[in-house]
Amino acid sequence: QERGAAVGVRRETDASGRTVVRQVKKGVRDFSFGRILGEGSYSSVYLATDRQTLKEYAIKVLEKRHIIKEKKIKYVNIEKDTLNRLTEHPGIVRLYYTFQDQNSLYYVLDLCSGGELLGVLKKTGTFDVECTRFYSAQILDAISYMHSRGVIHRDLKPENVLLDDQMNIKITDFGTAKLLQDPREARRQMERGILDPSRGDEDDDGRAASFVGTAEYVSPELLTHKNACKASDLWAFGCIVYQLLVGRPPFKAGSEYLTFQKIVHLEYEFPQGFPLAARDLVERLLVLDPSRRLTIEHIKNHEFFDGQAFGKTLWRTKAPRLRPYV
Ligand SMILES: C[C@@H](Nc1nc2c(c3cc(-c4cn[nH]c4)ccc13)C(=O)N=C/C2=C\CC1CC1)C(C)(C)C
């Protein structure tokens, strides 16, 4: 039974009339599929209902032929390994089980019926300070958990921050995550001489990891030295805090190339009336040198989060009503 596969149980009566309990793995037939919720480059996410429990899920469907043709097998494995590593945090979309049929792979996941944070932001235009504080605290708490499990997301953006039915966030889309080797495993491999430290960010099949995130949120180090670190997620976090209050990201130009130029030259400004504590926080996150960016602990203690609880309380308090920042 592959890890993370949940087994169903089916009671049957055998020839001699005895009840036999059989372990069965769930399959496509156990769900009734509804509308498409979202479409990625290599997948579609459907609304689905478990026929037995009537519980609603999101099921991500990946077409095997397309993945193989586009050489994205590594991407699929990274996403699944990442989801299997990030199993118990309210701010991360949870993978319940996986199965496959002739043509496709299926991931059964949390349903985030509030859709994308970006969609909600577009409706209100901007978030006021209270909403920005609450949602950025939840995003930060989820990033903190990811980093503690050795996962760098590398493509954080409002489209990848979903909302559940309680209007709490769930971070998603881990196909481009970077999994840090856990130190024990790394030492074992070093001892066995497998891990060549100079290999840096190469993929297993030797291709230099040429992945770059979404233009508006990509960090300068990813553009210049080609490798991401945990602080790269905090650069994206800084862009998201700015965007919640302003309604657009700090670095946006007519083309990707021009956006990259603005990033590496730190060309952005705060509109009139931007709240001072938020400005100080963003200025200490949008720093070109990743080693000089605020760390998660420093962010949690920053004046902008004064009075904001983190940890369990943050996920039990009711989400604030969404109000625009005027
Ligand atoms: C970002 C993603 N979009 C979405 N991914 C997921 C959704 C989701 C739900 C709505 C939605 C719900 N109600 N109205 C809209 C809109 C977009 C969604 C969900 O409920 N559960 C898990 C998801 C993803 C899990 C993935 C890590 C494996 C893309 C665009 C890539 C398909």
Side-chain angles (χ1 to χ4, degrees), residues 181 184-195:
Q181 199 102 38
R184 293 182 309 285
E185 169 65 22
R187 197 179 12 265
R188 262 198 301 275
Q189 293 203 8
M190 294 283 266
E191 277 143 18
R192 284 205 303 267
I194 292 175
L195 197 68

Side-chain angles (χ1 to χ4, degrees), residues 221-257:
E221 62 272 12
L222 207 58
L223 290 174
T224 45
H225 313 306
K226 277 252 170 288
N227 56 9
C229 53
K230 289 183 176 179
S232 309
D233 282 344
L234 297 179
W235 171 280
F237 175 71
C239 293
I240 292 172
V241 173
Y242 178 102
Q243 181 169 357
L244 295 182
L245 285 163
V246 176
R248 60 169 172 75
F251 306 100
K252 187 152 183 63
S255 70
E256 275 204 352
Y257 174 78

Side-chain angles (χ1 to χ4, degrees), residues 23 63 73 80 95 110 116 118 156 202 230 274 281 292 304:
Q23 283 210 351
E63 199 191 339
I73 297 172
K80 192 173 164 188
L95 174 64
D110 276 323
E116 296 174 7
L118 183 72
L156 282 175
E202 274 186 348
K230 289 183 176 179
F274 191 92
L281 174 64
R292 295 190 49 252
F304 177 68

Side-chain angles (χ1 to χ4, degrees), residues 26 31 48 57-60 94-99 106-110:
K26 295 246 180 192
F31 296 90
Y57 292 97
I59 298 190
K60 178 168 184 165
R94 190 169 153 209
L95 174 64
Y96 292 89
Y97 30 77
T98 62
F99 46 79
Y106 300 85
Y107 294 1
V108 181
L109 300 134
D110 276 323

Side-chain angles (χ1 to χ4, degrees), residues 35 37-40 45 58 60 79 83 93 109-113 115-116 159-160 162 172-173:
R35 70 184 177 94
L37 296 171
E39 301 210 65
V45 175
K60 178 168 184 165
E79 176 163 68
L83 288 165
V93 77
L109 300 134
D110 276 323
L111 171 63
C112 304
S113 43
E116 296 174 7
E159 294 91 313
N160 287 340
L162 302 173
T172 182
D173 216 3

